[in-house]
Amino acid sequence: MRAALCTSELVTNVHLHTKGTAMLRVRLDSARLHVSVFDESPDPPAVARPATGAVACWGRGLALVEEVADTWGVADARTGRYVKGVWFEPRPAV
């Protein structure tokens, strides 16, 4: 469930904040899931921190990924035409 939520947030961010195409890569290495979403924009993603109690329809995606994932980051290594990738590894379910 955590992986689906984080994947949805990253794909939505690409759709809302970049132009061009995107690529989703999912890997399972040594029982560890690693999900990356690559896009054509050189602009780094920003984690929004809305005020507590603020009502908004958007702006919490990366903060949610940061909270739910075990680790996440931005890969700026080029992959074909894609300029950057935002990735995460979900926190194991307990």
Side-chain angles (χ1 to χ4, degrees):
M1 193 68 162
R2 291 179 175 127
L5 175 64
C6 291
T7 301
S8 174
E9 290 298 332
L10 296 186
V11 170
T12 298
N13 280 352
V14 168
H15 176 71
L16 292 175
H17 302 294
T18 70
K19 293 185 170 106
T21 60
M23 177 179 68
L24 172 66
R25 180 184 293 162
V26 179
R27 290 189 332 230
L28 182 60
D29 295 326
S30 303
R32 186 75 177 173
L33 183 65
H34 184 93
V35 179
S36 302
V37 179
F38 295 88
D39 63 60
E40 298 178 29
S41 172
D43 301 329
V47 179
R49 305 242 184 253
T52 302
V55 177
C57 294
W58 58 83
R60 294 179 172 86
L62 285 178
L64 183 63
V65 171
E66 188 175 65
E67 184 67 29
V68 172
D70 190 32
T71 186
W72 76 280
V74 179
D76 57 3
R78 295 185 70 88
T79 303
R81 70 174 172 234
Y82 302 104
V83 178
K84 73 165 183 301
V86 180
W87 60 271
F88 72 91
E89 293 180 351
R91 184 172 294 130
V94 285

